[in-house]
């Protein structure tokens, strides 16, 4: 059998420090520290601890040229089986085909190595954002301030002396719309969202209203949001809970046809999928509809190959879509939110996505705002909530 190393791999020396009472009793500082070497490989998406022999072999094997296992020295042959099992080294045999294909998928999509690693290691499985705030005593902003001290000032200007005043514009309908944009954490689950309003938001945010054909197989869409390279890689999946005339479930939005493709049921109750999606932030979970923003990395990196700014561009694009969604919803008399505190992994499984090619980046919800505020919203000018 022939072997080679996976192409993208970072090795981190990690120090874990724990309190050790016995050490205090012995007159020490009470800190026990343990050093570990961890391999971070994005095609695996999980850390693998390494010993010295394994580290040494990973530093010697080529990621581009296959070598015959028989040519390796004894130390290397001892380290090899576990590295093959873990997928840090790939084998040419049938037994290693699944791992090899996974690693080749990463190569085919042309990920920048650092971006791929960040992407792979920041995807959550079962995070609970509410419990995490409770456990760390950071539920209210007063608690956060108490714990961390005051933040850097809200405006980073040392003094007012040298300021050149600018004229203020006359307030118009656009300003009124902007001031009514308040992140919604209180949805009225008892009031179904009319299908026409739901469709109006989707059309304004995600629909294509023109296209340019470079060749039969190379088409650029024109939409209301800007897009790096005009590629529009961010897909919209919908988790619909409460829209008139639409069965609750998962859908994919077709931006040219302005139509929904129903997806197979997720196999779990939809309300549970929604709650997990937003990392159990219950104030977001009962939105009438969630637009799940999922970039097609393979489309974006088709042009921006191994590009250090590629992931940044896609992330910025999700932000543009979110702001447009906020405004489209507000204009329709609805309310919206965005969150990146999401459990990508169960969502991707429910949507049938391979995160190396197309992964979930953020969730935007929208629907009717409730009449009473249970969870805090930021509306100091009382544009939405009357005092
Ligand atoms: C990228 C992004 C992620 C956010 N994630 C969360 C979140 O996880 N939970 C939440 O309650 N609000 C979230 N928000 C909303 C912000 O808390 C909100 O924008 C901020 O408090 C200002 O309020 P406003 O949007 O009403 O002006 C997020 C906003 C942005 C732009």
């Amino acid at each position: 059998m022939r072997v080679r190393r996976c192409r993208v791999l970072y090795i981190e020396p990690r120090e874990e420090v724990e309190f050790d009472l016995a050490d205090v009793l012995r007159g020490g500082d009470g800190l026990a520290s343990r050093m570990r070497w961890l391999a971070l490989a994005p095609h695996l998406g999980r850390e693998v601890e390494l010993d010295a022999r394994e580290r040494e072999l990973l530093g010697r094997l080529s990621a581009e040229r296959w070598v015959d296992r028989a040519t390796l020295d004894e130390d290397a042959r001892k380290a090899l089986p576990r590295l093959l099992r873990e997928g840090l080294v790939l084998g040419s045999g049938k037994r290693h085909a699944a791992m090899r294909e996974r690693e080749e998928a990463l190569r085919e999509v042309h990920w920048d190595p650092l971006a791929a690693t960040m992407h792979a290691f920041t995807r959550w499985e079962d995070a609970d954002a509410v419990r995490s705030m409770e456990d760390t005593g950071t539920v209210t902003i007063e608690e956060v301030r108490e714990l961390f001290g005051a933040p850097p000032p809200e405006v980073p200007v040392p003094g007012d002396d040298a300021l050149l005043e600018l004229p203020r514009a006359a307030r118009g309908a656009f300003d009124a719309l902007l001031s009514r944009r308040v992140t919604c954490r209180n949805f009225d689950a008892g009031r179904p969202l009319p299908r026409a309003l739901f469709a109006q938001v989707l059309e304004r945010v995600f629909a294509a209203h023109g296209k340019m054909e470079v060749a039969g197989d190379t088409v650029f869409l024109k939409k209301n949001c800007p897009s790096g390279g005009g590629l529009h890689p961010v897909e919209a999946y919908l988790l619909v809970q409460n829209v008139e005339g639409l069965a609750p479930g998962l859908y994919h939005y077709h931006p040219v046809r302005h139509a929904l493709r129903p997806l197979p049921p997720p196999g779990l109750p939809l309300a549970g999928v929604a709650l997990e999606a937003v990392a159990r932030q219950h104030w977001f979970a009962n939105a009438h509809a969630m637009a799940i923003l999922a970039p097609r990395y393979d489309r974006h990196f088709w042009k921006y190959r191994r590009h250090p700014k590629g992931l940044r561009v896609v992330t910025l694009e999700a932000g543009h879509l979110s702001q447009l969604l906020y405004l489209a919803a507000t204009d329709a008399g609805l309310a919206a939110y965005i969150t990146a505190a999401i459990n990508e992994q169960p969502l991707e499984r429910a949507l049938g996505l391979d995160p190396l090619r197309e992964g979930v980046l953020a969730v935007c919800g929208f629907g009717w705002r409730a009449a009473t505020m249970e969870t805090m919203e930021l509306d100091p000018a009382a544009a939405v909530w009357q005092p």
Side-chain angles (χ1 to χ4, degrees):
M1 185 181 62
R2 292 175 312 141
V3 295
R4 66 162 169 74
R5 170 174 65 74
C6 64
R7 186 189 274 170
V8 183
L9 166 68
Y10 293 92
I11 298 183
E12 179 193 339
R14 189 175 302 168
E15 183 172 15
E16 282 163 11
V17 183
E18 280 176 7
F19 178 70
D20 180 358
L21 182 62
D23 185 66
V24 178
L25 298 176
R26 285 194 301 269
D29 62 4
L31 299 177
S33 93
R34 174 175 168 237
M35 293 300 291
R36 302 161 74 205
W37 287 95
L38 294 162
L40 309 175
H43 71 290
L44 301 177
R46 60 183 163 73
E47 300 171 345
V48 179
E49 186 160 359
L50 300 174
D51 65 23
R53 201 157 46 190
E54 291 163 344
R55 239 173 29 237
E56 173 64 22
L57 177 57
L58 287 171
R60 279 170 44 203
L61 279 180
S62 166
E64 310 307 327
R65 278 189 316 276
W66 293 92
V67 295
D68 200 314
R69 179 166 56 176
T71 64
L72 298 175
D73 63 26
E74 198 188 326
D75 263 5
R77 282 207 300 273
K78 278 187 183 150
L80 195 60
R82 184 168 165 272
L83 293 179
L84 276 167
R85 246 190 345 267
E86 296 287 357
L88 293 169
V89 172
L90 293 316
S92 60
K94 240 191 200 154
R95 200 148 53 93
H96 304 288
M99 224 31 123
R100 208 170 51 237
E101 278 160 23
R102 202 72 207 124
E103 201 263 347
E104 278 161 10
L106 185 72
R107 293 173 184 240
E108 279 162 23
V109 180
H110 308 294
W111 275 93
D112 168 73
L114 276 172
T117 308
M118 190 184 95
H119 173 68
F121 287 91
T122 51
R123 293 167 52 258
W124 291 350
E125 172 67 44
D126 55 3
D128 182 333
V130 179
R131 204 179 57 208
S132 143
M133 287 190 290
E134 286 165 359
D135 290 350
T136 52
T138 54
V139 174
T140 66
I141 198 63
E142 289 78 11
E143 285 176 336
V144 176
R145 195 198 167 283
E146 180 70 26
L147 200 64
F148 300 149
E154 68 283 13
V155 179
V157 180
D160 285 354
D161 310 347
L163 292 181
L164 302 174
E165 296 290 344
L166 295 172
R168 298 223 176 236
R171 285 183 61 82
F174 186 54
D175 301 279
L177 172 69
L178 291 175
S179 63
R180 290 199 314 275
R181 185 215 54 81
V182 172
T183 294
C184 182
R185 298 192 183 86
N186 300 275
F187 286 96
D188 184 352
R191 185 182 178 194
L193 178 61
R195 191 177 162 119
L197 283 186
F198 168 74
Q200 175 181 312
V201 172
L202 294 187
E203 187 171 11
R204 288 184 163 166
V205 182
F206 299 111
H209 47 79
K211 66 176 167 182
M212 187 184 79
E213 218 170 286
V214 176
D217 59 2
T218 310
V219 177
F220 291 85
L221 298 176
K222 177 74 182 170
K223 301 188 185 180
N224 288 338
C225 253
S227 172
L231 289 160
H232 288 289
V234 181
E235 296 295 311
Y237 291 84
L238 282 309
L239 190 157
V240 171
Q241 297 195 90
N242 198 0
V243 176
E244 273 170 5
L246 257 186
L250 300 172
Y251 298 85
H252 176 245
Y253 179 72
H254 193 303
V256 176
R257 298 271 304 275
H258 181 47
L260 293 179
R261 180 167 53 92
L263 299 176
L268 295 165
L270 197 64
V273 175
L275 187 64
E276 283 305 309
V278 293
R280 301 189 203 156
Q281 297 179 86
H282 47 81
W283 50 87
F284 285 159
N286 64 347
H288 300 69
M290 290 180 185
I292 300 160
L293 305 184
R296 282 158 65 202
Y297 297 107
D298 50 4
R299 181 167 165 88
H300 191 72
F301 301 156
W302 160 80
K303 179 174 177 193
Y304 299 108
R305 297 191 172 204
R306 292 170 70 89
H307 198 300
K309 305 288 185 188
L311 184 59
R312 187 186 300 195
V313 167
V314 169
T315 310
L316 285 168
E317 200 163 319
H320 282 75
L321 286 164
S322 155
Q323 173 72 358
L324 185 56
L325 187 142
Y326 265 90
L327 294 182
T330 306
D331 182 66
L334 305 172
Y337 69 79
I338 178 173
T339 177
I342 57 173
N343 283 313
E344 293 88 344
Q345 300 190 39
L347 251 186
E348 285 158 355
R349 284 197 296 274
L351 299 170
L353 303 179
D354 172 358
L356 288 184
R357 298 176 192 281
E358 179 178 4
V360 173
L361 195 60
V363 171
C364 299
F366 61 100
W368 294 118
R369 182 175 257 118
T372 52
M373 194 197 292
E374 299 288 330
T375 305
M376 198 278 234
E377 295 186 14
L378 187 63
D379 185 25
V384 170
W385 295 97
Q386 302 315 313

